[in-house]
Amino acid sequence: MSESETNADVPPYRYTAALAAEIEPRWQDFWSGHGTFHAPNPTGELADPGHPRAGAPKLHVQDMFPYPSGAGLHVGHPLGYIGTDCYTRYKRMAGYNVLHPMGFDAFGLPAEQYAVQTGTHPRITTEANVERYRGQLRRLGLAYDERRSFSTTDPEYYRWTQWIFLQVFNSWFDPSDARAKPIEILISQFEAGERETPDGRAWAELSGVERRQVINDHRLAYVSEAPVNWCPGLGTVLANEEVTPDGRSERGNFPVFKRSLKQWMMRITSYGDRLVDDLETLDWPEPVKLMQRNWIGRSQGAHVDFPIDGDDVISVFTTRPDTLFGATYMVLAPEHTLVDSVVPAAWPEGTKPVWTGGHASPGEAVAAYRAEAAAKTEEERTADAKVKTGVFTGAYATNPVNGARIPVFIADYVLAGYGTGAIMAVPGQDGRDWAFAEVFDLPIIRTVQAPDGFDGAFTGDAPAINSDWLNGMAVADAKAAMIAWLEEHGHGRGATTFRLRDWLFSRQRYWGEPFPIVYDETGLPVALPESMLPVVLPDTDDFSPRTFDPDDEHSEPETPLSRKKDWVTVELDLGDGPKTYTRETNTMPQWAGSCWYELRYLDPRNDKALVDPENEAYWMGPKDSADCGGVDLYVGGVEHAVLHLLYARFWHKVLYDLGHISSFEPFRKLFNQGYIQAYAFRDARGVIVPAEEVVERDGKWYFGEQEVAREYGKMGKSLKNVVTPDDMSEQYGADTFRVYEMAMGPLDVSRPWDTRAVVGSQRFLQRVWRLVVDEETGVVRVTDEPLDPATRRVLHRTIDGVREDMDELRFNTAIAKLIQLTNTLTPLGTTAREAIEPLVLMTSPFAPHLAEELWRKLGHDDTLAYADFPVPDPAQLVAESVTYPVQVNGKVRGRVEVAPDTTEDAVRAAALESVAEVLAGREPRKVIVVAGRLVSVVV
RNA sequence: GGGGCCGUAGCCCAAUUGGCAGCAGGCGCAUGGUUUAGGUCCAUGACAGUGCGGGUUCGAGUCCCGUCGGCCCCA
């Protein structure tokens, strides 16, 4: 209870938490009962031609949907949801047909782990958590179209997740026009002989199984026997990004081993170029785009072949083929397969002592160095600061551009798993190579003109030098010329490489989407037909994958579904009569359901298609030929900057290529909201104490009589500093909580939670309430008296500013302007409807329940959700006069007040006159008039 | 180690994008009025020169360089 309620003399009609608790549920019932926030579709079951916004310009705003955890929401979680709610309520009033849905990302590990511990089926836990979330969100007055809500665990939803998997499985990426196509096209190309088989035999000569294998190797979803991250402690394999740099699982911190296992993969690497290039079309925060670019890691350059003594060739990838003339040595990863075959019996002539590591023969030196390198982590090996180590192999390679013999080293700063595991070293233009060359006394040849006096490797752009036919060319031109030369002479070819790997798509888990895949007697996968979807996740009471001793590297994964023998073995007629098949027992990763949910919101009840093309085109289609389409505003945390957004973009592009949708990007505009953080307190023993019970005295903090130390961190159970939206609704009302969250700072900035400050937002709403309602009598005070001209100008300036702020998601400044307007009206005792109705309307996106209540009291019968948002009168925005400060040499020395349309010359003259005394006859050297701002005089 | 973001009153934040740093706003604090009340409401007020050091400019919180501190991403 708030303090005001404890007092007997609170005016009976004051806006208090108790009153909010009465108003808020009532309006929530009204909205859901009237379907107030239903958004009409152009076609299908959700079409509604009679809707006030049918056919209006659309706006599709979406939040990153939550994983419904058992802990429920704290005040940090709904920050973005409230932000989008305020924005969409405003836009709806401003005339848009607004789609603002919410759903739940409900598959995932925590529910499964809880199930393993307690025996409660994950579906039970998940559904209970979803209900709790729905209740919490409803209580905040969030205006969702509840008809469009779903969980990724709903069979009607994951039916389409499986359907998309089939689309991916049944297509291949045609590099000739860089897009996915139906697999039938590939098959017909093989059949027609337009495409050669891998081993050159005619298609007709291949057996049925061989043909299937060839085709399977082209599919965008494929089974691969590939090195994966096997985590015995979790009993599952993990994607690279789920493994920490020190080789442990992000979840659970168990050891992870590289193992070759059969797993489903998605060929996201085929889309590397488009995933990079199309970032240009997106209105996303630059840091997020940069993170995506870095993650994809596209390098454009060339493969270059260096012959070595004997018949072998060392192939390297370089992004700087223009610097080939400066390649003075080569480095192989210590693990490189060629190392053994190139090492001679003895050190060759000309071996410098420092190259040998003190060993008598190359064989010994290499063996010793390999042992050393094997003991280091990847992190230790590539840390740039450390002293470069390495050893000469005794072998020489030939630089193809000039025939120079260059020594071949092994060094641990080159990694076997990266690129070709070998580099050409160009110390003149690469810092790591420079450092290595200095240690090992290797020649340094500059091939790019460094500035005079420049020391060290020069990586900038300048004309080529010491490079024969490249001399004088800028880096880009020299690269192109060198690639052409390499290709012409058979020494290499232009190439693009990516850091991005194919996406490991299978998990040994229960609580995920089953694959729509079975295996026949050949052991090859067979896609189920669409008519058999969904493949429903079978019930079980045995949820856990078999886990092992965390250090047992040689254990084999065993999935929970594989134990459901009656489900795994299935008789089906897939076109050639009833046969026995074995089901795929892996499940999809949690990313799957969130990879496409933006599309399902558009047409959630469509059981004929994932989304009707007309509905997709309306809500997400491109605005013009240059536009990528997609959600108009997508709000969520930066933690999804790479993975979720990359995977969603990938699937979206596949669906686009296959003609199912018209947009080629899922999220046109992205906004990262900040986090609400909170203080936590620790006593002398270092134990966290409940933040709620800590009091501040003289800049120190006390828990009881004990002084405690303050720290700053995430809100959470472990720091005992959780504040929930439910607490806030009880103490102040949801509207006050909403206003506070929006007013405390810009949406994209993280800030500390401070419950004590919430009262400021409550006072604001109380003042707004008081402008309409007499606190003593409950009578509406508003009259039709005209507003005085000065206040009218304030009103219209406020309207103008608020609209601008709302459009830019600057809710904190919009609220400040509303408070300012309120504080202007309050002391004047204003009762004019002309001012108060616009104030109520402008407040409504932030405090919708209070505003609806006041709107009703002001005599309106219906919801204000579709009332026109106030529009400023341009005539009222013109200032009566402008005051120019006049600076002399940077200091304000005078002021002039002039009419707004005064010419620049007249302003100048008036300004000079106003500072004539300061100038004391000195002639101004320069007079700068900044229209509407100030005048600056320089003497 | 590389890359990115951010440092403005005791605190959360404004500052029209290079133009008078705060009658943007809020919390807290102080004073006065209302009051049985230190609560409520109303009114008034104090507190920083923008982390630090340079530079560009008539003019820098805003741009550039360096430096310190915090957060994030990648190795």
Side-chain angles (χ1 to χ4, degrees):
Chain A
M1 262 195 296
S2 79
E3 285 149 0
S4 57
E5 284 171 76
T6 63
N7 291 288
D9 65 343
V10 169
Y13 296 94
R14 173 164 295 173
Y15 179 72
T16 59
L19 185 53
E22 188 269 310
I23 292 172
E24 289 173 0
R26 186 148 49 74
W27 280 101
Q28 285 154 16
D29 290 344
F30 177 95
W31 295 327
S32 58
H34 289 76
T36 302
F37 302 115
H38 291 183
N41 268 359
T43 187
E45 201 183 321
L46 303 188
D48 178 7
H51 190 282
R53 291 293 183 267
K58 63 88 191 186
L59 185 78
H60 180 188
V61 177
Q62 197 184 305
D63 304 276
M64 291 187 188
F65 65 171
Y67 174 80
S69 85
L73 296 171
H74 64 59
V75 291
H77 293 120
L79 179 67
Y81 306 159
I82 295 172
T84 51
D85 192 60
C86 295
Y87 181 64
T88 51
R89 281 177 180 271
Y90 158 67
K91 283 292 193 181
R92 188 180 294 109
M93 293 171 78
Y96 286 85
N97 183 18
V98 170
L99 176 57
H100 185 217
M102 178 55 82
F104 301 92
D105 188 18
F107 275 125
L109 220 37
E112 182 170 316
Q113 285 175 331
Y114 185 75
V116 171
Q117 284 159 21
T118 63
T120 313
H121 195 285
R123 179 167 296 285
I124 307 284
T125 323
T126 303
E127 281 173 2
N129 290 346
V130 165
E131 274 323 296
R132 175 151 177 224
Y133 268 59
R134 281 191 204 284
Q136 286 187 302
L137 296 177
R138 177 187 162 92
R139 195 169 178 188
L140 294 176
L142 299 174
Y144 299 127
D145 182 345
E146 61 275 10
R147 304 169 306 168
R148 298 175 187 259
S149 187
F150 50 74
S151 297
T152 52
T153 48
D154 299 341
E156 312 82 69
Y157 179 84
Y158 70 68
R159 167 193 173 177
W160 294 104
T161 310
Q162 293 171 337
W163 182 86
I164 294 171
F165 178 87
L166 291 178
Q167 299 299 310
V168 177
F169 179 78
N170 287 320
S171 55
W172 62 295
F173 191 84
D174 185 349
S176 67
D177 52 0
R179 66 182 194 87
K181 293 178 180 174
I183 201 75
E184 290 76 24
I185 293 178
L186 181 74
I187 295 172
S188 63
Q189 287 181 1
F190 276 119
E191 284 170 347
E194 293 163 14
R195 182 174 284 272
E196 217 176 298
T197 58
D199 61 5
R201 283 184 293 160
W203 185 249
E205 287 174 36
L206 301 188
S207 70
V209 169
E210 285 172 326
R211 289 182 194 170
R212 281 171 67 187
Q213 283 169 331
V214 169
I215 295 301
N216 286 354
D217 284 344
H218 285 81
R219 294 180 189 273
L220 284 178
Y222 62 99
V223 177
S224 155
E225 180 82 34
V228 294
N229 304 299
W230 166 235
C231 179
L234 288 174
T236 189
V237 302
L238 300 170
N240 285 335
E241 45 274 17
E242 293 166 325
V243 181
T244 61
D246 54 342
R248 300 180 80 89
S249 61
E250 197 144 63
R251 182 177 287 278
N253 197 32
F254 293 111
V256 173
F257 303 97
K258 280 282 179 199
R259 273 285 302 279
S260 203
L261 288 173
K262 227 173 79 174
Q263 294 293 334
W264 281 97
M265 307 289 285
M266 287 216 171
R267 218 176 285 281
I268 189 172
T269 50
S270 299
Y271 281 81
D273 276 319
R274 281 167 61 187
L275 289 169
V276 174
D277 294 340
D278 289 348
L279 286 172
E280 302 298 327
T281 65
L282 297 175
D283 181 3
W284 284 17
E286 275 309 316
V288 176
K289 289 189 184 184
L290 191 65
M291 282 186 247
Q292 292 235 334
R293 275 190 208 103
N294 290 342
W295 186 263
I296 297 166
R298 178 167 69 184
S299 308
Q300 285 162 322
H303 284 292
V304 185
D305 298 328
F306 287 71
I308 45 178
D309 305 347
D311 301 328
D312 282 326
V313 163
I314 300 176
S315 188
V316 303
F317 177 78
T318 176
T319 59
R320 294 295 304 273
D322 60 303
T323 64
L324 251 166
F325 284 95
T328 54
Y329 64 103
M330 298 190 76
V331 182
L332 299 180
E335 303 85 353
H336 198 287
T337 49
L338 271 179
V339 174
D340 289 319
S341 60
V342 303
V343 174
W347 293 117
E349 194 74 17
T351 300
K352 296 184 183 177
V354 66
W355 294 2
T356 66
H359 294 278
S361 74
E364 282 173 37
V366 165
Y369 188 77
R370 277 180 161 176
E372 214 177 289
K376 293 185 196 168
T377 66
E378 197 166 299
E379 188 177 0
E380 288 169 338
R381 288 175 52 162
T382 53
D384 287 343
K386 77 175 182 70
V387 175
K388 292 284 180 274
T389 63
V391 70
F392 181 41
T393 62
Y396 281 89
T398 305
N399 188 334
V401 295
N402 56 9
R405 270 168 62 79
I406 58 177
V408 179
F409 282 72
I410 58 172
D412 62 9
Y413 77 98
V414 175
L415 300 172
Y418 197 80
T420 64
I423 62 157
M424 64 176 215
V426 186
Q429 277 78 230
D430 184 285
R432 291 159 304 179
D433 296 347
W434 178 285
F436 190 89
E438 289 203 312
V439 173
F440 292 94
D441 190 22
L442 289 155
I444 295 169
I445 302 172
R446 287 196 188 279
T447 58
V448 178
Q449 181 68 60
D452 280 346
F454 186 89
D455 190 37
F458 178 70
T459 55
D461 194 356
I465 53 170
N466 300 324
S467 295
D468 203 334
W469 70 89
L470 298 180
N471 284 343
M473 290 187 201
V475 169
D477 295 339
K479 280 185 188 178
M482 180 57 87
I483 289 170
W485 184 91
L486 288 168
E487 289 176 351
E488 188 188 329
H489 293 85
H491 294 304
R493 63 232 79 95
T496 300
T497 63
F498 295 93
R499 201 184 74 96
L500 182 69
R501 304 283 86 155
D502 274 347
W503 176 17
L504 176 67
F505 195 72
S506 41
R507 296 300 133 89
Q508 291 68 54
R509 288 283 155 197
Y510 171 70
W511 195 228
E513 298 88 346
F515 283 72
I517 290 285
V518 293
Y519 296 89
D520 62 13
E521 69 286 354
T522 67
L524 293 176
V526 179
L528 293 173
E530 276 179 44
S531 59
M532 291 188 185
L533 301 183
V535 177
V536 176
L537 184 64
D539 236 336
T540 183
D541 52 8
D542 184 7
F543 315 106
S544 49
R546 187 158 160 228
T547 57
F548 301 87
D549 179 336
D551 297 310
D552 183 3
E553 184 176 353
H554 302 289
S555 48
E556 283 290 334
E558 182 188 293
T559 62
L561 291 179
S562 67
R563 291 193 290 266
K564 293 283 294 181
K565 302 289 184 217
D566 55 336
W567 181 80
V568 173
T569 304
V570 61
E571 187 159 298
L572 298 170
D573 184 347
L574 299 180
D576 40 1
K579 279 172 46 177
T580 301
Y581 294 92
T582 310
R583 289 191 190 274
E584 170 63 63
T585 64
N586 283 292
T587 54
M588 299 187 196
Q590 196 180 350
W591 306 111
S594 59
C595 260
W596 69 282
Y597 71 125
E598 72 281 358
L599 290 166
R600 193 57 182 170
Y601 286 137
L602 310 181
D603 211 355
R605 296 192 183 165
N606 193 331
D607 60 1
K608 303 285 185 298
L610 168 148
V611 54
D612 186 289
E614 193 180 337
N615 289 332
E616 190 273 337
Y618 174 71
W619 290 113
M620 287 179 69
K623 289 184 285 202
D624 53 60
S625 59
D627 182 41
C628 58
V631 175
D632 295 300
L633 176 66
Y634 190 40
V635 176
V638 261
E639 69 271 23
H640 295 113
V642 178
L643 301 177
H644 158 60
L645 290 170
L646 199 63
Y647 295 149
R649 293 180 64 213
F650 165 48
W651 275 26
H652 205 91
K653 286 178 186 303
V654 175
L655 292 172
Y656 171 80
D657 286 353
L658 298 177
H660 299 299
I661 52 178
S662 67
S663 46
F664 64 82
E665 283 285 343
F667 310 112
R668 179 191 286 118
K669 179 177 171 123
L670 175 70
F671 185 93
N672 294 125
Q673 97 262 1
Y675 298 98
I676 290 185
Q677 296 182 293
Y679 292 111
F681 301 89
R682 236 177 250 280
D683 65 18
R685 297 168 301 164
V687 175
I688 293 281
V689 303
E692 225 182 344
E693 295 167 40
V694 171
V695 291
E696 185 183 351
R697 286 198 296 269
D698 310 322
K700 291 178 178 171
W701 294 274
Y702 295 89
F703 177 62
E705 286 311 304
Q706 208 188 135
E707 188 177 343
V708 290
R710 190 173 77 158
E711 57 187 76
Y712 185 53
K714 280 188 177 158
M715 196 171 271
K717 256 193 278 189
S718 60
L719 293 178
K720 293 189 182 171
N721 58 359
V722 172
V723 180
T724 68
D726 309 77
D727 297 338
M728 289 301 106
S729 292
E730 271 165 45
Q731 287 177 43
Y732 299 99
D735 281 332
T736 295
F737 171 64
R738 292 170 56 113
V739 170
Y740 175 65
E741 288 231 336
M742 293 299 100
M744 65 197 285
L747 195 58
D748 56 352
V749 171
S750 297
R751 49 243 138 107
W753 178 260
D754 182 10
T755 297
R756 291 180 310 176
V758 177
V759 68
S761 298
Q762 189 181 38
R763 288 179 191 148
F764 160 55
L765 294 183
Q766 282 175 339
R767 286 196 285 268
V768 173
W769 179 268
R770 199 150 45 224
L771 281 169
V772 180
V773 178
D774 186 301
E775 287 189 330
E776 298 298 337
T777 64
V779 169
V780 173
R781 309 166 58 203
V782 172
T783 64
D784 290 328
E785 257 173 56
L787 204 54
D788 71 90
T791 311
R792 184 175 293 139
R793 275 196 302 278
V794 172
L795 171 69
H796 285 270
R797 270 207 307 277
T798 305
I799 294 171
D800 189 49
V802 167
R803 288 190 82 110
E804 203 179 302
D805 288 342
M806 297 300 285
D807 283 327
E808 301 299 322
L809 306 175
R810 293 191 303 246
F811 305 124
N812 55 325
T813 52
I815 290 171
K817 289 179 174 78
L818 293 173
I819 293 174
Q820 197 181 9
L821 175 62
T822 306
N823 293 352
T824 305
L825 299 179
T826 293
L828 296 175
T830 303
T831 58
R833 183 178 292 272
E834 184 186 343
I836 289 169
E837 285 204 345
L839 174 63
V840 169
L841 290 172
M842 288 191 288
T843 305
S844 71
F846 302 110
H849 314 87
L850 168 118
E852 290 274 23
E853 189 72 13
L854 293 178
W855 191 242
R856 182 62 52 103
K857 288 185 186 296
L858 287 165
H860 303 278
D861 293 335
D862 207 358
T863 171
L864 49 60
Y866 293 89
D868 291 334
F869 202 85
V871 178
D873 176 359
Q876 296 294 325
L877 299 177
V878 180
E880 288 189 308
S881 69
V882 181
T883 302
Y884 283 87
V886 185
Q887 292 183 347
V888 178
N889 288 345
K891 288 199 164 58
V892 179
R893 297 296 193 190
R895 281 171 205 285
V896 287
E897 191 174 331
V898 297
D901 55 356
T902 310
T903 64
E904 198 176 306
D905 286 340
V907 172
R908 184 193 316 266
L912 286 175
E913 193 180 327
S914 76
V915 293
E917 210 168 299
V918 181
L919 293 177
R922 286 177 293 176
E923 192 58 31
R925 283 197 298 149
K926 206 169 177 184
V927 180
I928 298 146
V929 180
V930 185
R933 289 268 166 273
L934 56 54
V935 181
S936 183
V937 182
V938 188
V939 291

